[in-house]
């Protein structure tokens, strides 16, 4: 229907005193039919979203209409979060919270669901402290009104653990994941989507703390289940494949990581669009693997594209943006383009300190890279530019060294008696583990092989990969 016809119809309904009646019918119906955010529903959501957006511009006054409006806002926020449009999603969820507070107490499940989603969106925006606060509130509320092992409590516990990972609180995060996942594994099927996502996030924690073997095992197990449940081109499957390539890179398998990530990038760009955060993550990771192969010019091109996309989509101080700033500076520093690298490092360092503080792991990475470049410039006989960024860190060398030292210990040994039997049992267990690992790797490699054979052309140039053709749904990575 042409917009002029819509306006004329609306004016006629208003004149006939029928507009409020039809607004009520529309908001009630949209609250019923707008799908819960899942990528399987994106085409339906894409088609409905313009109508939903127009509806949410209207004013409602009756309680039933307002509650239906809040439901529409909640579901729209979930959809926009899935599409990577975090600022719009945050606006919607804030409006939903404002409406529901008029009718519900803070510990009502309708309110807690909104606060939980608010936490998810804040985390996606890189506002980790605010996300942590909201998640704590949601979790405490769920624990008050729901049974101990309710899925909402377990999912919120994993959500909080994911935020703790982002804050660098790794021990607390791992404990939270392990406790919640132990209960989820008891009550859910192995291919349950919530369980798969939460295990994926635990694997990301393992990557952050350099437990690459544990991460690889989880990703291999997940990949087999993802293919069976969703197929090879589902966004969650692509995330699992992308993350498995990341683990390969930590094992110095850069060629394999490059090949797999090119495929993931190609499919994400086509499915999600060139500026979706997941697509940009693939761009940034591909740059890392090429950099490891000493292809700094290609890495620079990719990092420039990732940075432009992050700035456009997520803003100047989002963690993803700052990772791209750091990585582009690293490319430029290696190519002796210090005039451009230094201000980029300084930009990243100032923002990291402001958002995360000086002791956060990501802040320390940027600081180390910045100091290394200044030292290299001095070695080359170049005077680094004056800066006041280092003045509060006059005694920070010990802090830098401590960041590289892990905690460890030795398990106490058994007594001599029975050592032989224990040794045999240990060898048998190790053989079983090796056999299981071998079978798992074969099955995972078979999935990767099918994934790589799903495209006719695997020789994309960087320009072809970065071309901004429309997506099908239009309507961690630091040096």
């Amino acid at each position: 229907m042409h917009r002029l016809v819509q306006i004329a119809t609306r004016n006629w309904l208003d004149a006939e005193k029928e507009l409020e009646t039809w607004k009520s019918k529309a908001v009630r119906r949209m609250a019923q039919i707008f799908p819960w955010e899942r990528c399987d529903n994106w085409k339906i959501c894409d088609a409905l979203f313009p109508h939903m957006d127009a509806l949410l511009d209207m004013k409602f006054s009756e309680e039933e209409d307002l509650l239906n409006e809040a439901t529409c806002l909640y579901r729209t926020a979930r959809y926009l979060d899935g599409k990577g449009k975090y600022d719009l999603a945050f606006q919607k969820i804030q409006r939903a919270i404002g409406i529901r507070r008029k009718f519900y107490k803070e510990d009502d499940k309708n309110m807690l669901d909104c606060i939980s989603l608010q936490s998810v969106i804040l985390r996606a925006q890189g506002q980790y402290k605010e996300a942590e606060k909201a998640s704590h509130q949601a979790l405490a509320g769920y624990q008050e009104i729901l049974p101990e092992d309710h899925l909402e409590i377990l999912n919120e516990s994993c959500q909080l653990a994911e935020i703790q990972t982002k804050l660098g609180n790794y021990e607390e995060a791992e404990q939270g994941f392990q406790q919640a996942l132990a209960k989820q594994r008891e009550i859910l099927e192995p291919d349950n989507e919530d369980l798969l996502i939460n295990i994926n996030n635990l694997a990301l924690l393992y990557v952050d703390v350099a437990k690459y073997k544990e991460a690889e095992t989880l990703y291999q197990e997940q990949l087999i289940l993802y293919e069976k449940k969703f197929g090879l081109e589902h966004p969650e499957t692509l995330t699992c494949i992308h993350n498995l390539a990341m683990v390969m890179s930590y094992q110095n398998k850069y060629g394999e990581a490059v090949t797999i990530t090119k495929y993931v990038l190609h499919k994400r760009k086509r499915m999600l669009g060139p500026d979706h955060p997941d697509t940009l993550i693939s761009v940034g990771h591909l740059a890392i693997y090429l950099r490891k192969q000493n292809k700094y010019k290609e890495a620079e091109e990719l990092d420039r594209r990732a940075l432009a996309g992050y700035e456009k989509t997520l803003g100047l101080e989002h963690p993803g943006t700052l990772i791209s700033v750091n990585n582009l500076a690293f490319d430029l520093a290696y190519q002796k383009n210090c005039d451009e690298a230094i201000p980029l490092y300084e930009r990243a360092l100032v923002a990291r300190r402001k958002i995360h503080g000086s002791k956060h792991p990501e802040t320390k990475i940027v600081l180390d890279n910045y100091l290394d470049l200044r030292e290299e410039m001095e070695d080359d006989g170049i005077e680094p530019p004056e800066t006041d960024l280092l003045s509060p860190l006059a005694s920070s060398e010990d802090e830098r060294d401590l960041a590289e030292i892990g905690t460890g210990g030795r398990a106490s040994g058994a007594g001599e008696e029975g050592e032989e039997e224990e040794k045999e049992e240990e060898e048998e267990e190790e053989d079983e583990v090796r056999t299981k690992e071998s079978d798992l790797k074969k099955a995972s490699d078979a999935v990767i092989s099918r994934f790589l054979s799903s495209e006719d052309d695997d020789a994309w140039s960087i320009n072809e990969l970065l071309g901004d053709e429309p997506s099908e749904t239009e309507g961690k990575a630091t040096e």
Side-chain angles (χ1 to χ4, degrees):
M1 183 185 294
H2 194 281
R3 286 195 63 83
L4 289 176
V5 179
Q6 293 180 29
I7 293 170
T9 303
R10 185 178 300 178
N11 290 340
W12 179 81
L13 288 171
D14 194 21
E16 295 295 318
K17 310 297 183 186
E18 291 287 326
L19 183 58
E20 293 302 317
T21 299
W22 283 99
K23 280 168 55 179
S24 296
K25 290 181 178 180
V27 74
R28 181 171 62 250
R29 182 60 178 154
M30 195 64 82
Q32 294 170 346
I33 68 171
F34 197 86
W36 292 94
E37 184 276 318
R38 293 288 188 198
C39 60
D40 302 333
N41 294 320
W42 277 352
K43 289 186 178 180
I44 299 173
C45 292
D46 288 342
L48 290 175
F49 179 69
H51 305 284
M52 177 70 89
D53 209 31
L55 182 66
L56 293 176
D57 281 340
M58 297 180 181
K59 301 294 183 183
F60 300 94
S61 56
E62 298 298 321
E63 178 177 340
E64 181 182 356
D65 295 342
L66 287 166
L67 290 174
N68 283 326
E69 180 187 11
T71 298
C72 288
L73 287 163
Y74 176 81
R75 294 194 178 193
T76 303
R78 286 176 61 97
Y79 160 70
L80 292 168
D81 176 66
K83 298 285 281 186
K85 298 178 179 179
Y86 304 130
D87 289 346
L88 282 175
F90 187 74
Q91 293 171 19
K92 302 298 184 189
I93 198 61
Q94 290 296 90
R95 283 179 58 190
I97 290 172
I99 293 171
R100 286 185 171 176
R101 277 207 171 107
K102 296 177 181 178
F103 304 102
Y104 299 122
K105 295 181 179 179
E106 288 293 318
D107 61 353
D108 186 277
K109 188 173 183 302
N110 291 288
M111 278 297 302
L112 296 174
D113 289 345
C114 278
I115 293 167
S116 176
L117 180 56
Q118 180 191 48
S119 173
V120 171
I121 298 167
L122 284 166
R123 176 183 53 77
Q125 290 178 311
Q127 300 183 50
Y128 302 135
K129 284 293 185 182
E130 293 84 351
E132 180 188 28
K133 181 179 178 181
S135 186
H136 271 301
Q137 182 181 348
L139 179 59
Y142 285 140
Q143 289 170 334
E144 285 289 326
I145 65 172
L146 298 173
E148 180 181 356
D149 292 341
H150 194 281
L151 188 56
E152 295 283 7
I153 293 176
L154 301 179
N155 280 336
E156 194 61 45
S157 297
C158 288
Q159 160 68 8
L160 181 57
E162 187 178 358
I163 296 167
Q164 296 294 348
T165 302
K166 296 295 186 182
L167 288 167
N169 302 329
Y170 299 126
E171 290 185 9
E172 187 176 348
E174 184 171 2
Q175 183 179 11
F177 274 127
Q178 295 288 14
Q179 290 176 351
L181 287 170
K183 294 178 181 179
Q184 283 193 324
R185 286 187 172 106
E186 292 177 1
I187 62 177
L188 298 175
E189 293 297 321
D191 64 350
N192 177 273
E193 187 168 357
D194 288 323
L195 178 59
L196 291 173
I197 291 172
N198 291 333
I199 292 175
N200 173 78
N201 291 332
L202 172 60
L204 284 174
L205 165 63
Y206 284 153
V207 171
D208 282 349
V209 297
K211 293 182 178 180
Y212 302 127
K213 187 61 184 175
E214 292 90 335
E216 181 181 39
T217 299
L218 288 178
Y219 284 137
Q220 288 171 339
E221 292 172 347
Q222 300 305 91
L223 181 56
I224 295 163
L225 292 170
Y226 271 123
E227 185 197 23
K228 289 180 180 178
K229 187 174 182 70
F230 299 119
L232 288 172
E233 298 207 4
H234 189 280
E236 296 295 347
T237 309
L238 293 178
T239 295
C240 188
I241 294 171
H242 167 93
N243 290 342
L244 188 55
M246 176 175 59
V247 175
M248 289 179 181
S249 77
Y250 286 112
Q251 299 169 331
N252 299 324
K253 300 176 182 177
Y254 302 122
E256 293 175 57
V258 166
T259 299
I260 293 170
T261 305
K262 279 186 175 182
Y263 274 84
V264 174
L265 172 56
H266 177 71
K267 292 177 184 292
R268 278 179 163 176
K269 185 163 63 71
R270 186 178 63 199
M271 186 182 302
L272 305 174
D275 289 325
H276 190 282
D278 287 351
T279 307
L280 298 174
I281 287 173
S282 289
V283 173
H285 277 241
L286 180 57
I288 289 173
Y289 310 148
L290 290 170
R291 187 181 307 122
K292 293 293 186 181
Q293 295 179 313
N294 296 319
K295 298 178 180 178
Y296 285 91
K297 198 64 186 174
E298 291 180 48
E300 177 191 342
E301 188 176 352
L302 286 161
D303 280 325
R304 287 189 186 279
R305 175 63 184 86
L307 178 56
Y310 276 122
E311 289 178 334
K312 172 183 174 183
T313 305
L314 300 178
L316 297 178
E317 293 189 344
H318 187 276
T321 307
L322 299 178
I323 286 174
S324 288
V325 172
N326 173 80
N327 290 351
L328 176 57
F330 194 94
D331 300 332
L332 296 166
Y334 191 87
Q335 297 174 83
K336 303 297 183 181
N337 186 352
C338 302
D339 289 343
E340 192 174 356
I342 283 286
L344 285 171
Y345 276 140
E346 291 177 345
R347 169 187 167 184
L349 185 56
V350 169
R352 285 290 187 188
R353 285 179 179 166
K354 172 185 172 184
I355 297 168
H356 302 307
S358 295
K359 293 185 178 181
H360 191 279
E362 296 290 352
T363 308
K364 292 179 179 180
I365 288 172
V366 178
L367 174 62
D368 284 348
N369 289 343
Y370 179 55
L371 293 174
D372 287 344
L373 176 55
R374 293 180 69 88
E375 290 170 7
E376 289 171 10
M377 292 174 70
E378 290 175 349
D379 291 342
D380 293 340
I382 303 171
E383 184 68 26
E386 293 185 5
T387 179
D388 58 359
L389 290 175
L390 304 180
S391 55
L393 299 171
S395 60
S396 69
E397 287 300 319
D398 291 340
E399 183 178 320
R400 291 177 64 201
D401 291 340
L402 285 172
E404 303 301 322
I405 300 174
T407 58
R410 173 178 289 181
S412 58
E416 290 184 8
E417 185 177 349
E419 275 190 359
E420 198 62 38
E421 291 84 351
E422 288 183 11
K423 184 177 180 181
E424 289 178 3
E425 290 177 2
E426 288 175 0
E427 289 176 350
E428 289 178 3
E429 290 176 359
E430 289 174 359
D431 287 341
E432 289 179 6
V433 169
R434 281 193 290 269
T435 299
K436 182 180 177 181
E437 288 177 350
S438 176
D439 292 344
L440 182 60
K441 186 177 187 308
K442 288 177 183 176
S444 174
D445 287 348
V447 177
I448 293 294
S449 179
R450 288 191 289 275
F451 175 70
L452 295 179
S453 65
S454 64
E455 292 282 349
D456 294 331
D457 185 7
D458 64 349
W460 301 289
S461 68
I462 297 300
N463 286 335
E464 288 171 330
L465 283 169
L466 297 181
D468 292 353
E469 70 267 19
S471 69
E472 291 179 354
T473 61
E474 285 291 53
K476 158 179 170 201
T478 308
E479 282 292 351

